[in-house]
């Protein structure tokens, strides 16, 4: 979940592309349904929707970009090897 102006969102997308991980970007400002979807997932995960990106890796929800945590989640869900 992103916004068009978010620099960290752009870094996250760039990292995922470099890693060869397919992803679907959902702009929460451009799409009301994306914002509502994010709000529901955030409530269930107990996180705030006050910042982007919010990344959903097969049900693992994380806010912001922590590359180590993201890589771990991608490996756990089978998107990365090793």
């Amino acid at each position: 979940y992103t916004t068009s102006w978010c620099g960290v969102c752009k870094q996250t997308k760039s990292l995922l592309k470099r890693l060869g991980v397919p992803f679907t970007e959902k702009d929460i400002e451009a799409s009301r349904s994306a914002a509502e979807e994010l709000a529901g997932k955030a409530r269930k995960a107990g996180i705030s929707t006050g910042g982007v990106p919010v990344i959903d890796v097969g049900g693992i929800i994380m806010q912001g970009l922590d590359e180590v945590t993201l890589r771990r989640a991608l490996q756990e869900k089978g998107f990365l090897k090793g």
Side-chain angles (χ1 to χ4, degrees), residues 16-78:
L16 292 170
K17 287 175 185 174
R18 282 195 319 272
L19 295 174
V21 175
F23 64 92
T24 301
E25 180 179 8
K26 297 182 181 185
D27 186 324
I28 61 168
E29 290 182 332
S31 169
R32 182 176 178 184
S33 64
E36 290 171 354
E37 181 180 286
L38 172 57
K41 287 182 180 185
R43 270 192 303 277
K44 287 181 184 175
I47 65 169
S48 165
T49 57
V52 286
V54 176
I55 307 163
D56 180 350
V57 180
I60 300 172
I61 308 297
M62 59 192 80
Q63 187 171 34
L65 175 58
D66 176 337
E67 188 172 336
V68 171
T69 303
L70 178 56
R71 284 176 180 265
R72 189 176 302 126
L74 291 168
Q75 286 175 341
E76 182 180 320
K77 294 298 181 172

Side-chain angles (χ1 to χ4, degrees), residues 6-24:
C6 170
V8 178
C9 298
K10 291 175 181 147
Q11 291 173 351
T12 302
K13 292 185 290 184
S14 177
L15 173 62
L16 292 170
K17 287 175 185 174
R18 282 195 319 272
L19 295 174
V21 175
F23 64 92
T24 301

